[in-house]
Amino acid sequence: MFDAASDLTPLALLAQAEKTIVGLEPVIGELASEFQRRGLSLYLVGGSVRDAVLGRLGNDLDFTTPARPEVVKEILDSWAEVVWDTGIDFGTVSAHKYGQQIEITTFRSDTYDGASRNPEVMYGDTLEGDLIRRDFRANAMAVELTMVNGEMLASFHDPVGGLDDIVHRRLDTPAAPEISFHDDPLRMLRAARFVSQLGFGVAERVKKAMTEMSEEISRITAERIQVELDKLMLGAAPWTGINLLVNTGIAERIFPEIPAMQLTQDEHRQHKDVYAHSMQVLRQAMDREDDGPDLVLRWSALLHDCGKPATREFKPEGGVSFHHHEVVGAKLIRRRLRALKYPKQIINEVSQLIYLHMRFHGFSEGQWTDSAVRRYVNDAGELLPRLHKLVRADSTTRNRKKAARLQRTYDHLEERIADLSAREDLARVRPDLDGNEIMKILGLSPGPEVGRAWSFLKELRLECGPLERDEAIAQLHTWWEAEQLQGHKPEEDS
């Protein structure tokens, strides 16, 4: 049974939540029984209840309880498969069982110092006190779990009207948003993340507070900002979360390259600006994802034209150009992602895709030489599948004939890549002679000359394709003789 404790609860949503929770009775029922045997209450809480109501509950379950952390750990140690301290100083213990990750936090009634987002942890005595301190009303619901004669009963608690917010697909704070965001400015980023993940809007008072308090985001570390931005970008509609950050001025403080694109009219002088174009490219790139959300592809799609504001030039005859915006954009994003403490691999991949996204437009159908194809594949490397998706997504023209021509031209390029790959190993283009062979043929010791010779042979391989060994050796000797004539001397033997 599901005991609805709120007059505001729509029966359809309660039925959906009940069905979701009952489906997890094997793990939830056992856990509730363990707490009940000790006379302790256990509540499914927060995002887990919200997701149960929405019918999207995953494998991460959040609980709260009046039990102190040491008691929770003792219970979990005797029941779960694996137990670890997520943040026992903050009252949280985690465990794993039956494929579910479980996090249990003791009732809290924290206070904040107003300077950082780190609370002074204070344990609470009531469920309601714990719920009203949470970030949003939709996350401030709980379901009490009890076992009666082998049957799990669930009682719904909604002291601040969170279910009504879910019905209206709205994010609002339990207390005044100014208080909530002053306590923890990260909640402003979480609002944008939930907009992206859940398809909710924000209450007007929340948006107003985010706008007026945008500078408070400076209290949040780069690492925490990065985590929230990635969760936002991996949501179902990341452009909605980005729009919220841009419209409230928060994006200007944490990722100014994004709102800067609003200032740039695109090269077609249509009604949309580069920002709107980038949002469309993001949507179209997501349509091409094969195996779930692709963070690198999404960031690259959103940011591919971020170099345009710095490279905009108005032509005397009308129109506007953005020469080398891909080069400038790649440098801008490399610096920004470093500042946000992104992993080196993410930085390299996103910036390289931005750098390469215009390469295709330098050629028309029938103009791709074998050398150009090799260089395109070589420069993209493992990013080639993502580059294909990004370039195709970058076509947002309303001119159907032009759009069809661009897609047809890229089809031709992919056919050329497939044809050349059938004859050559395009995925691993390397010189026809390795470093040891170069040293033996030219009588060199390890040093920069070997590296220059290797680079020459690599360029030769890209330009001409695979060579017979004798021809490669002859080309190497010719190059080396020219090097010596130009004054490049081999290192003296030590």
Side-chain angles (χ1 to χ4, degrees):
M1 294 178 63
F2 201 97
D3 178 21
S6 170
D7 293 334
L8 300 175
T9 304
L11 294 180
L13 288 179
L14 285 177
Q16 181 165 258
E18 179 181 21
K19 180 180 179 180
T20 301
I21 293 172
V22 167
L24 294 172
E25 184 171 348
V27 59
I28 292 178
E30 282 188 16
L31 189 58
S33 293
E34 292 294 324
F35 276 78
Q36 196 170 324
R37 283 196 307 109
R38 293 167 173 80
L40 298 169
S41 300
L42 182 68
Y43 304 84
L44 191 68
V45 73
S48 292
V49 177
R50 178 202 69 218
D51 288 346
V53 170
L54 293 170
R56 61 192 299 272
L57 185 60
N59 294 325
D60 294 337
L61 303 177
D62 295 330
F63 297 88
T64 189
T65 179
R68 294 301 187 253
E70 58 273 14
V71 176
V72 173
K73 188 174 187 305
E74 177 185 330
I75 294 172
L76 291 177
D77 280 338
S78 64
W79 173 78
E81 298 164 355
V82 181
V83 178
W84 64 95
D85 296 341
T86 306
I88 199 162
D89 292 339
F90 294 91
T92 302
V93 185
S94 295
H96 186 274
K97 190 164 185 178
Y98 299 145
Q100 297 286 340
Q101 183 168 313
I102 295 157
E103 189 172 279
I104 304 178
T105 302
T106 301
F107 287 169
R108 298 256 295 269
S109 59
D110 303 335
T111 59
Y112 292 82
D113 59 16
S116 69
R117 65 173 295 265
N118 298 320
E120 179 183 348
V121 177
M122 298 177 62
Y123 296 133
D125 297 317
T126 66
L127 174 66
E128 286 70 22
D130 180 86
L131 294 178
I132 62 174
R133 55 167 282 278
R134 294 177 178 263
D135 54 2
F136 299 104
R137 297 194 303 215
N139 295 332
M141 301 177 291
V143 174
E144 185 174 7
L145 306 167
T146 56
M147 299 297 294
V148 178
N149 299 324
E151 181 182 4
M152 186 172 71
L153 302 181
S155 299
F156 186 76
H157 296 260
D158 182 17
V160 295
L163 200 53
D164 186 58
D165 279 2
I166 290 180
V167 170
H168 292 94
R169 306 187 73 77
R170 171 182 64 212
L171 286 175
D172 203 350
T173 51
E178 293 80 5
I179 296 174
S180 181
F181 297 155
H182 181 69
D183 284 347
D184 185 359
L186 186 69
R187 289 169 174 170
M188 296 189 288
L189 287 182
R190 285 170 61 84
R193 188 239 293 186
F194 290 134
V195 165
S196 168
Q197 290 178 329
L198 304 176
F200 284 18
V202 295
E204 280 302 315
R205 68 172 190 160
V206 170
K207 184 176 180 180
K208 180 174 182 289
M210 290 175 67
T211 304
E212 293 174 348
M213 302 178 67
S214 60
E215 65 181 17
E216 294 278 329
I217 206 66
S218 62
R219 290 163 48 195
I220 305 301
T221 65
E223 290 85 353
R224 289 303 305 160
I225 291 173
Q226 177 224 308
V227 168
E228 287 299 323
L229 285 177
D230 282 353
K231 289 179 179 179
L232 182 161
M233 288 299 292
L234 292 171
W239 53 89
T240 60
I242 293 294
N243 282 336
L244 179 60
L245 294 180
V246 168
N247 293 336
T248 56
I250 294 174
E252 178 65 35
R253 298 179 182 278
I254 63 174
F255 213 130
E257 294 79 7
I258 296 175
M261 290 189 289
Q262 287 183 310
L263 305 179
T264 307
Q265 184 182 30
D266 77 355
E267 62 267 38
H268 307 298
R269 290 234 169 170
Q270 296 175 347
H271 70 282
K272 64 186 178 184
D273 57 18
V274 172
Y275 177 83
H277 162 75
S278 298
M279 290 298 182
Q280 181 64 21
V281 173
L282 172 58
R283 286 190 285 269
Q284 293 180 176
M286 288 172 57
D287 289 340
R288 297 180 179 278
E289 290 175 332
D290 301 318
D291 301 312
D294 183 336
L295 184 64
V296 169
L297 177 64
R298 293 186 179 195
W299 273 124
S300 303
L302 175 63
L303 302 169
H304 73 286
D305 278 346
C306 71
K308 284 188 172 180
T311 58
R312 179 177 57 175
E313 291 184 2
F314 292 102
K315 300 177 181 179
E317 67 277 11
V320 63
S321 65
F322 305 96
H323 293 304
H324 304 302
H325 72 272
E326 70 279 12
V327 178
V328 173
K331 291 179 180 178
L332 285 173
I333 292 312
R334 184 173 287 275
R335 286 198 295 266
R336 178 57 53 196
L337 296 184
R338 282 174 180 162
L340 289 171
K341 310 297 185 182
Y342 271 84
K344 185 176 181 180
Q345 181 177 348
I346 298 290
I347 296 172
N348 290 340
E349 290 178 347
V350 173
S351 61
Q352 182 70 352
L353 284 169
I354 293 171
Y355 176 75
L356 292 174
H357 85 274
M358 289 297 293
R359 182 77 60 86
F360 160 75
H361 296 284
F363 298 87
S364 298
E365 189 171 357
Q367 290 186 336
W368 284 85
T369 63
D370 287 353
S371 174
V373 173
R374 291 188 194 99
R375 293 178 188 279
Y376 192 79
V377 173
N378 180 75
D379 290 349
E382 294 182 354
L383 294 173
L384 185 62
R386 286 185 173 122
L387 183 59
H388 289 332
K389 295 172 184 176
L390 176 59
V391 173
R392 288 185 180 278
D394 194 22
S395 175
T396 62
T397 177
R398 295 182 176 183
N399 185 318
R400 292 185 178 181
K401 289 184 177 180
K402 182 178 180 181
R405 175 168 51 80
L406 287 171
Q407 296 298 336
R408 184 174 64 250
T409 303
Y410 207 85
D411 289 342
H412 178 68
L413 172 59
E414 290 204 59
E415 290 168 3
R416 290 292 309 284
I417 292 173
D419 177 65
L420 205 55
S421 296
R423 293 183 276 123
E424 304 174 16
D425 185 7
L426 286 188
R428 290 175 54 84
V429 174
R430 300 183 63 81
D432 295 290
L433 304 171
D434 64 23
N436 290 327
E437 291 175 302
I438 291 170
M439 288 189 289
K440 182 177 181 181
I441 292 167
L442 298 181
L444 296 175
S445 299
E449 290 84 5
V450 180
R452 290 204 307 272
W454 190 94
S455 296
F456 162 73
L457 289 173
K458 173 70 176 292
E459 284 296 310
L460 189 65
R461 171 71 172 78
L462 288 169
E463 185 66 30
C464 303
L467 300 176
E468 295 292 337
R469 178 178 174 78
D470 290 345
E471 184 178 357
I473 292 173
Q475 291 278 4
L476 178 62
H477 278 303
T478 300
W479 172 83
W480 182 239
E481 290 171 4
E483 284 283 291
Q484 291 179 305
L485 287 174
Q486 292 173 10
H488 294 295
K489 300 295 184 180
E491 288 186 321
E492 297 291 336
D493 293 335
S494 57

